[in-house]
Amino acid sequence: MILKKSLLTFLKTGAIPLLLAVVAFRQIVLVHIAGLSPWHGGGFGMFASMDRDERRVVTAQLACDPTETLALPGLLTDAPGLINDQTYTHITTFPTDHQLQRLGKLLATNSSAATKPIAELQNETPCDGSLQLQAWRLIYENGAIAYEPITELVEVQP
């Protein structure tokens, strides 16, 4: 009887705060380990971060010419049939190697006007290097605003 009463008291007073703490802790871990945007996942990072989906970027470059880097948001908005905004937002919100691989294969095989700069970049360079994609986030550090990589370079073979 006493155990039942104490369990009921815990459920009434402690279960909800414990659940909220677990959700917030999970979000903090995913932001720092897996690259999740602080604006998603049920945490409270949005109040202390400028790292939003709209400010994240996915870049593409060839392995043999890392000096030529293309930011994909401009390319993708020029081709409405290539990838929709919701999918791109999902990729930048929680970038994984698998998602970047799929996007890279889509860019490498598609011949639309938006991917023409990537094809031109591949034609201008003398090598047959792989297409590399990387997700970046906006940071504020030491009084300066800059981008830092969220993921490692993901290589997609043509």
Side-chain angles (χ1 to χ4, degrees), residues 10-110:
F10 170 73
L11 288 176
K12 287 181 180 179
T13 60
I16 302 299
L18 181 63
L19 180 63
L20 290 174
V22 167
V23 168
F25 181 72
R26 177 185 171 273
Q27 193 262 355
I28 291 169
V29 169
L30 288 175
V31 165
H32 291 287
I33 292 176
L36 177 69
S37 171
W39 287 76
H40 295 276
F44 305 99
M46 71 179 111
F47 300 115
S49 173
M50 54 192 281
D51 180 18
R52 295 193 57 160
D53 305 334
E54 303 86 33
R55 296 182 182 123
R56 287 185 171 202
V57 176
V58 175
T59 59
Q61 66 187 27
L62 290 178
C64 58
D65 189 7
T67 59
E68 290 289 332
T69 302
L70 299 170
L72 294 186
L75 295 175
L76 297 176
T77 54
D78 292 341
L82 183 65
I83 186 172
N84 62 22
D85 291 336
Q86 185 178 12
T87 303
Y88 184 75
T89 300
H90 180 69
I91 291 170
T92 57
T93 299
F94 196 48
T96 62
D97 289 350
H98 178 68
Q99 289 177 337
L100 292 174
Q101 282 279 349
R102 282 186 12 215
L103 178 61
K105 287 179 183 175
L106 183 66
L107 290 171
T109 59
N110 196 309

